[in-house]
Amino acid sequence: MLREDVTDAIRGAVFEELAAVGFARMSIEGIARRAGVGKTAVYRRWKSKLHLVLDLVAAVAAQGMPAPATGSLYGDVRSVLELASYALRHPVASQVIPDLLVEAARNPEISDAIKAALLDQQQGVAAVVVRAAVERGELPEGSDPDRALDLIVGPLYWRLTVVRGDLPKGYLDDLAASAVRALKG
Amino acid sequence: MLREDVTDAIRGAVFEELAAVGFARMSIEGIARRAGVGKTAVYRRWKSKLHLVLDLVAAVAAQGMPAPATGSLYGDVRSVLELASYALRHPVASQVIPDLLVEAARNPEISDAIKAALLDQQQGVAAVVVRAAVERGELPEGSDPDRALDLIVGPLYWRLTVVRGDLPKGYLDDLAASAVRALKG
DNA sequence: TCACGACGGGACGGTTGCGTTGCGACGCAC
DNA sequence: GTGCGTCGCAACGCAACCGTCCCGTCGTGA
């Protein structure tokens, strides 16, 4: 029976290593070193660093992402932005997510995993939010949820992980209002 | 005197290598191999792969980025989106840019170079566009150009390099209109 | 008490890239 | 035609990591 504390230590080390050096530079030796574990313990559980990461991403995907239901489009959008900004400001996640997204452009397996763990989840949330807004009459029939997601999350992702600028007080409120204004049209 | 055709071959190989495997995995051996050149020829010109890439990025930065002046905010925004989508759909650039942006989060030198080559340029363009719109009375006094840039480029970057979705006909027109609507408020 | 299995650690041969060096070939200026 | 400098190429010793194997230790369940 594999020891669970060792498994957890390895998982944690993978996250840290992924954030510190990125997927491309990450090595199993480095993970084992960081986890204070023999390489054997890693290979006994996973075949390669790819499987390790796919496993982690799948675990994140399994958590699911809650869809807001505040009763207004603005409230829902603001809520989504709050959640997203929390994730993208986390020091580990803000390194790991963009890194894996870039890696996904070169590796279909990572691409599929990321898609299931993040993009599909987000698109699902967007679909729920848009449908609710349509039913309330806040958005016209046939509004495209994907386009809505672009307009809501795009600017935030750009600012936090591309420009790597700060998030001034009230920025999320502004952004939510802007997105709602953009969507209604 | 260093032969210029060799220098050009190396520069080209760096771009291709950067797109194919990314900065982290890129090796000087690989570059020389791809360029059909000895390692000596590379080391005679640059100290390391970092210097190689910094040099390339600086060359891009030197080109400059033209600011549109169509006479309307919508026209200017649409023009910026056209240029950006052209770059982000280029098969090499669409790999290299996100890769270097992620690398920039770990390496201050790359960060500075990218900032000068891309972000500062874009912020300059945004500043010009916003100022013109304010003078025309299309935007209120004191509109923030950075926020404008987030709203204009963010959704496009998100769609093209994160979701890696397609760009439906009319999407840029929609996006430009949405951005203008979001900005006025 | 005892056997089993996972543990950390270390060593293995093999691969890849590092940055440097020496070589003979080639091209160009003088 | 004679040098000089760059060229491609191959080799160098060094380092890191690969995936595997063997060891002695330790904890647990029968």
Side-chain angles (χ1 to χ4, degrees), chain A residues 111-150:
Chain A
S111 175
D112 291 347
I114 286 278
K115 189 165 163 1
L118 289 182
L119 304 184
D120 285 353
Q121 304 270 343
Q122 290 173 330
Q123 285 171 356
V125 170
V128 169
V129 167
V130 167
R131 191 176 336 119
V134 169
E135 283 170 7
R136 276 191 302 265
E138 285 196 83
L139 288 182
E141 203 84 30
S143 296
D144 179 11
D146 284 355
R147 176 175 159 276
L149 189 58
D150 296 348

Side-chain angles (χ1 to χ4, degrees), chain A residues 23 96-115 119, chain B residues 25 95 161-164:
Chain A
F23 180 80
V96 172
I97 291 173
D99 186 88
L100 289 183
L101 281 168
V102 167
E103 213 60 47
R106 295 196 186 90
N107 186 320
E109 304 190 65
I110 295 185
S111 175
D112 291 347
I114 286 278
K115 189 165 163 1
L119 304 184
Chain B
R25 274 186 265 259
Q95 295 274 14
T161 74
V162 177
V163 182
R164 299 217 172 241

Side-chain angles (χ1 to χ4, degrees), chain A residues 18-25 49 95 98-99 101-103 105-106 119 122-123 144 146-147 149-151 153-155 157-159 162-164 171 174-175 178 181-185, chain B residues 18-25 49 95 98-99 101-103 105-106 119 122-123 144 146-147 149-151 153-155 157-159 162-164 171 174-175 178 181-185:
Chain A
L18 213 44
V21 305
F23 180 80
R25 273 187 264 261
K49 71 170 180 172
Q95 295 273 11
D99 186 88
L101 281 168
V102 167
E103 213 60 47
R106 295 196 186 90
L119 304 184
Q122 290 173 330
Q123 285 171 356
D144 179 11
D146 284 355
R147 176 175 159 276
L149 189 58
D150 296 348
L151 291 171
V153 188
Y157 184 85
W158 171 267
R159 172 167 280 250
V162 177
V163 183
R164 301 222 168 236
Y171 183 82
D174 261 17
L175 184 50
S178 298
R181 215 152 47 232
L183 286 172
K184 296 181 178 175
Chain B
L18 214 43
V21 305
F23 180 80
R25 274 186 265 259
K49 70 170 181 174
Q95 295 274 14
D99 187 89
L101 281 168
V102 167
E103 213 59 47
R106 296 195 186 90
L119 304 183
Q122 290 173 329
Q123 286 171 354
D144 179 12
D146 285 354
R147 178 176 157 275
L149 189 58
D150 296 349
L151 292 172
V153 189
Y157 184 84
W158 170 266
R159 170 167 283 251
V162 177
V163 182
R164 299 217 172 241
Y171 183 84
D174 261 18
L175 184 51
S178 298
R181 212 151 50 229
L183 286 172
K184 295 181 176 173

Side-chain angles (χ1 to χ4, degrees), chain A residues 29-112:
Chain A
E29 300 232 2
I31 292 166
R33 210 179 302 132
R34 188 187 286 265
V37 145
K39 276 200 287 180
T40 324
V42 179
Y43 280 110
R44 198 173 286 128
R45 292 167 171 78
W46 295 278
K47 285 202 290 186
S48 69
K49 71 170 180 172
L50 176 60
H51 292 86
L52 239 176
V53 169
L54 292 180
D55 188 38
L56 279 199
V57 173
V60 171
Q63 285 186 226
M65 193 176 291
T70 62
S72 76
L73 178 56
Y74 174 84
D76 286 356
V77 168
R78 184 64 178 73
S79 179
V80 167
L81 286 176
E82 188 68 40
L83 191 64
S85 81
Y86 177 78
L88 290 179
R89 296 208 288 168
H90 187 286
V92 171
S94 70
Q95 295 273 11
V96 172
I97 291 173
D99 186 88
L100 289 183
L101 281 168
V102 167
E103 213 60 47
R106 295 196 186 90
N107 186 320
E109 304 190 65
I110 295 185
S111 175
D112 291 347

Side-chain angles (χ1 to χ4, degrees), chain B residues 109-126:
Chain B
E109 304 189 66
I110 294 185
S111 176
D112 291 346
I114 286 277
K115 191 167 164 355
L118 289 181
L119 304 183
D120 286 354
Q121 303 270 343
Q122 290 173 329
Q123 286 171 354
V125 170

